[in-house]
Amino acid sequence: MLVSGCGHAEKRQARTAGHQVAAGKKARTAPRPQQPPAQRKIDCDRTKCVALTFDDGPGPYTNGLLDVLKKEGVRATFFLIGQNVAGFPAAVRREVMEGHEIGDHSWNHPQLTAMSPAAVKTQIQRTQDAITKASGGIKPTIMRPPYGATNKRVGQTIGMPLILWSVDTEDWRYLNTARDTRVGIKEPQAGGIILFHDIHKPSVKAIPAVIAGLKKRSFTFVTVSELFQNRQLRPGQTYSELLPPKTASPAPVTASPPPTGSPAGPAPSKSGSRPQQAEHD
């Protein structure tokens, strides 16, 4: 009996040792956690760019939207509501892992201009914490105030660039896929930011046609940060579109008298008199 017992003990020890070796191999060969794709280098001062943005998610239609964006090779920006994140953490993680940008859109969509600085800070911090946890450590660096309502005090309290929009589809008001499609294709201009909501099914259904229409207009789809990568966005400042870079004014003509043909004055006629004005019908 004693011999038999020892034999079982040896077998158990061998199995345990084998499991430990196998576990060690698995630990050594376990893949490293994936990292989100890097921001692309796209010069939107030279390229016809547009930024698709989606507010108030994540929600039940977000994954379907992500399927469309992945199929079309389009990156977008999602401004997330903090209290919605816990219900769809996988969608948030998927957004960042597929190259989309995520931004803060407050905890429960209040009008921040009617709140105290302490309450505004709570709205932002709770959302930042929820997004960072769900996304695997990605913390938003841009914010969209609910209703676009902000002021100097709110901007200073938030401490991030505030991203508004140049095209408001008002998809939440009409809940009409055909209208969302028409506005989403027709109204954007180069450097524009388009506002949709991924919590509304008609809006999500419009996106394939919107993408097709904007591609036909030769737009390149970028995230908000890619759109502004040649600009320094300032905390507390609002941005609704990418404006063309300022060009230096031509140097003024200083010759006296101005040389012939100078933009400072008309060319003299052969008789020395000023040329006559052309007559208009």
Side-chain angles (χ1 to χ4, degrees):
M1 293 293 292
L2 289 173
V3 173
S4 176
C6 290
H8 287 302
E10 289 173 356
K11 290 181 181 179
R12 285 197 299 271
Q13 290 173 354
R15 287 198 298 270
T16 301
H19 291 159
Q20 289 173 344
V21 171
K25 288 182 178 179
K26 289 181 180 178
R28 286 194 297 271
T29 60
R32 294 180 179 179
Q34 289 183 308
Q35 295 296 318
Q39 177 178 291
R40 300 164 298 181
K41 298 295 183 182
I42 300 174
D43 187 352
C44 290
D45 289 325
R46 297 176 178 271
T47 303
K48 189 178 179 181
C49 295
V50 69
L52 280 176
T53 67
F54 298 93
D55 283 11
D56 295 357
Y61 310 113
T62 301
N63 273 311
L65 172 60
L66 290 171
D67 290 341
V68 171
L69 298 176
K70 184 176 182 179
K71 178 182 178 182
E72 298 295 335
V74 170
R75 293 192 188 185
T77 302
F78 292 84
F79 289 96
L80 308 182
I81 293 292
Q83 68 177 5
N84 292 345
V85 169
F88 303 91
V92 177
R93 178 66 175 167
R94 183 181 173 189
E95 285 169 358
V96 300
M97 294 307 298
E98 294 184 359
H100 306 292
E101 184 170 15
I102 49 177
D104 192 312
H105 196 40
S106 80
W107 180 256
N108 61 354
H109 212 277
Q111 183 171 328
L112 300 179
T113 52
M115 304 177 73
S116 69
V120 172
K121 284 184 178 180
T122 298
Q123 284 281 328
I124 302 305
Q125 192 57 57
R126 291 183 71 187
T127 306
Q128 293 284 90
D129 292 344
I131 292 174
T132 302
K133 179 180 178 181
S135 66
I138 305 301
K139 186 177 182 179
T141 59
I142 56 176
M143 195 272 172
R144 174 170 282 167
Y147 315 107
T150 186
N151 55 31
K152 184 176 181 180
R153 174 178 55 81
V154 168
Q156 290 176 341
T157 302
I158 292 173
M160 288 184 283
L162 306 178
I163 309 301
L164 303 182
W165 52 84
S166 59
V167 176
D168 183 357
T169 61
E170 295 192 299
D171 55 341
W172 58 271
R173 182 189 301 275
Y174 295 98
L175 300 176
N176 184 298
T177 297
R179 184 187 181 281
D180 293 343
T181 301
R182 183 173 65 254
V183 174
I185 294 174
K186 182 179 179 182
E187 292 194 9
Q189 301 298 321
I193 300 174
I194 311 173
L195 169 59
F196 281 103
H197 295 79
D198 56 318
I199 60 170
H200 300 308
K201 188 174 182 179
S203 305
V204 173
K205 288 179 64 177
I207 298 305
V210 169
I211 291 173
L214 292 177
K215 282 183 176 181
K216 189 174 292 186
R217 292 184 61 197
S218 301
F219 277 102
T220 295
F221 295 90
V222 294
T223 65
V224 167
S225 288
E226 288 173 339
L227 180 68
F228 289 106
Q229 65 184 268
N230 291 339
R231 306 287 191 276
Q232 183 178 2
L233 300 187
R234 298 182 179 182
Q237 296 295 310
T238 59
Y239 301 88
S240 58
E241 62 184 325
L242 176 68
L243 298 174
K246 294 181 179 179
T247 56
S249 300
V253 176
T254 56
S256 181
T260 300
S262 164
S269 65
K270 291 183 180 180
S271 62
S273 61
R274 295 174 65 91
Q276 294 182 347
Q277 297 269 341
E279 293 184 359
H280 298 280
D281 294 333

